[in-house]
Each structure stands twice: as structure tokens, then as C-alpha cells.
Amino acid sequence: MLIAVTRAVSPTFAQCELTHRAREPIDVARAESEHAAYEDALRTLGATVVRAAPMPDHPDAVFVEDTAIVLGEVALVTRPGALSRRGETTSVAELLGRYRTLASITPPATLDGGDVLVVGRTLYVGLSSRTDHAALDQLDRTLRPRDYRVVPVEVTGCLHLKSAVTAVADGLLLVNPRWVAAGAFAPTTLLPVDETEPDAANALRIGDAALFPDHHPRTARRLEEAGVRVVPVPCGEVAKAEGGVTCCSLVFSAASLAP
Ligand code: CIR
């Protein structure tokens, strides 16, 4: 079965971290209803939604993607780059420990899950303001013996690697080439976002479909023309917090629902 770990929007969401975006008022009630629609879309695509414990005092806790990387054999618990987010990992680790052997990024290294794009047995790791070389080395040491390849990628102009590039089908990456050097992914085929939608490279692939923000219609059309089934979701409030559709879940296969 497919599990999607999510977490409730915190009442303090409007105090989220921001790096590249100017602060705009966030409507927490609207964020909650968008999040409910997102969870419904996950269920429609066959996932069982499992919520991690709420963390009302952690504004960014809805962005569970940053707390872990879940692979077939192991889940790596991260050490988020923003100090305000360090406390978010414990409850997710407790939950993931029911499904996977756990490993962790240890101090002083920092890594956000949003910087890790898994394609088959390759992990592209963004070197961003949140993720450093020490974390990259730890990932490599932990995963190379398990037959994974860890590839560093420079990221500029956006928060995370997955703000700039995500996988939308086998052998197809959706990319904003202004934020990441496309050559890093050769020979994979790249589909560029529409130039008027720089934030549109973040899509959440599930099977032959992609959950995709409903406010990027031009890039959505490109995806459909490339054969991707687009499932539009509202996520305007999450976007104001510098998040996207991958950020709000950890999706992985499991033999059954853990107790
Ligand atoms: C942060 O700055 O940490 C949050 N406001 C946004 C995190 C988005 N997460 C993601 O892209 N994986």
C-alpha cells in the first residue's frame, strides 16, 4: 500500500520561515481547507493518509517533506537547516520507525528533505542555504553501501532543489533552468516550466499522475502535452510560505498500515 505522511497546518503558520519571498498575509483557515483538498487528492490517487502529531508551535511543521527521506530500505531523518524547524523531526521519526529502519543526519551537518530528489537509485542533493556539504558526505557514506549514488547539485535563486526540479514521469524532469544547472541531470529529458511561472517546477508524482498547483495553468498544459495526468490542487497559501506540493507529504510504499 501507499502511505502519505502529512501534518496539520499550524495555527502559527503565518510566522513561517521565508528566504526568497517577501512576507504576505497568510489566511490560516484557507491554508487548512487547501490542505484538506491536498489530502483528498492523495487519497484519490490511492494513498492512505497518516498524520504525524500536530506541532502548533512550529509554524512550518506542515512541510513534513523536509524532515526525512524515505527510501525502500531505510528512512533518513534529517537535521533541518532552519533552527526554528529542528524540533519537527522527532515525531516524524517515531512514525517512520514503524515502517523503515532509521538513520539520521547528525550535527553539525544540516539537510532539508526538499533538497533531495530521488530518481531510481540516484539521489540528487541540492546545495542550498539549508543543506551543506557535510550532510552530503553523510548521505554518501550511509547510502553508497546500499547501492545508491549521491550527486551534488548547486541551487541558486530558490529555497530547495525541488523548488527547481522534480520528476514527473520515468525519464522526465520538470525544471526551472534559471535555478539549477540542467546539465547535472544528463541524459534525462527536461521539460522547462513556462517562463511566466518560475515556481512551477514543483510537482508531486504519484504513478502516472502529478499533483500540481492549480495556479500554474501554462506549465500544467505542458505537462499534459508530455503525457502526464495533472491533478490540480489549490495551494496558494502554502506558496506564500515558500512551499509547494512535494513539501506537504512523505509518500512511500509499505506492506501494510502500521499500528
Ligand atoms: C521553510 O522556509 O522552511 C518553509 N517556510 C518552507 C519549506 C518548504 N519545504 C519544501 O519545499 N520542501
Side-chain angles (χ1 to χ4, degrees):
M1 69 188 303
L2 201 61
I3 307 279
V5 173
T6 65
R7 175 147 46 204
V9 174
S10 298
T12 52
F13 189 39
Q15 282 109 60
C16 62
E17 294 280 343
L18 289 173
T19 307
H20 295 275
R21 281 186 76 111
R23 195 167 294 279
E24 294 172 66
I26 289 182
D27 180 336
V28 176
R30 180 178 296 176
E32 284 170 345
S33 75
E34 289 179 351
H35 193 249
Y38 174 83
E39 290 180 324
D40 282 345
L42 288 167
R43 290 186 193 99
T44 302
L45 292 176
T48 299
V49 172
V50 178
R51 278 196 167 191
M55 299 195 75
D57 297 331
H58 284 68
D60 283 305
V62 68
F63 298 122
V64 286
E65 173 181 56
D66 292 317
T67 63
I69 303 152
V70 187
L71 301 171
E73 308 81 347
V74 65
L76 282 134
V77 180
T78 68
R79 183 167 183 267
L83 206 54
S84 69
R85 304 200 54 195
R86 296 263 161 88
E88 294 174 25
T89 57
T90 312
S91 48
V92 174
E94 191 276 322
L95 201 162
L96 292 177
R98 303 177 206 164
Y99 297 97
R100 295 287 193 275
T101 303
L102 298 182
S104 302
I105 298 295
T106 55
T110 63
L111 180 136
D112 281 11
D115 275 318
V116 181
L117 172 65
V118 181
V119 179
R121 297 193 82 82
T122 299
L123 278 74
Y124 296 101
V125 180
L127 293 167
S128 69
S129 59
R130 300 287 175 84
T131 296
D132 61 17
H133 280 95
L136 190 92
D137 290 345
Q138 287 186 23
L139 273 185
D140 192 48
R141 276 200 303 276
T142 307
L143 294 177
R144 199 197 291 241
R146 294 178 157 99
D147 204 24
Y148 284 92
R149 191 169 71 108
V150 175
V151 178
V153 184
E154 292 292 339
V155 179
T156 45
C158 61
L159 181 60
H160 288 132
L161 177 66
K162 279 189 278 189
S163 320
V165 57
T166 52
V168 288
D170 289 346
L172 183 64
L173 299 178
L174 179 65
V175 63
N176 177 341
R178 292 181 181 219
W179 289 344
V180 73
F185 309 102
T188 310
T189 306
L190 303 178
L191 178 68
V193 297
D194 186 278
E195 282 197 1
T196 62
E197 297 173 344
D199 293 325
N202 186 265
L204 176 60
R205 179 188 179 188
I206 297 186
D208 70 343
L211 261 69
F212 193 67
D214 64 3
H215 55 271
H216 296 314
R218 293 189 171 94
T219 304
R221 208 168 310 125
R222 289 189 182 192
L223 283 166
E224 282 166 349
E225 283 164 8
V228 177
R229 183 159 63 91
V230 173
V231 178
V233 284
C235 59
E237 300 309 299
V238 156
K240 291 181 193 168
E242 224 166 335
V245 285
T246 64
C247 321
C248 298
S249 60
L250 286 162
V251 181
F252 57 89
S253 299
S256 60
L257 194 62

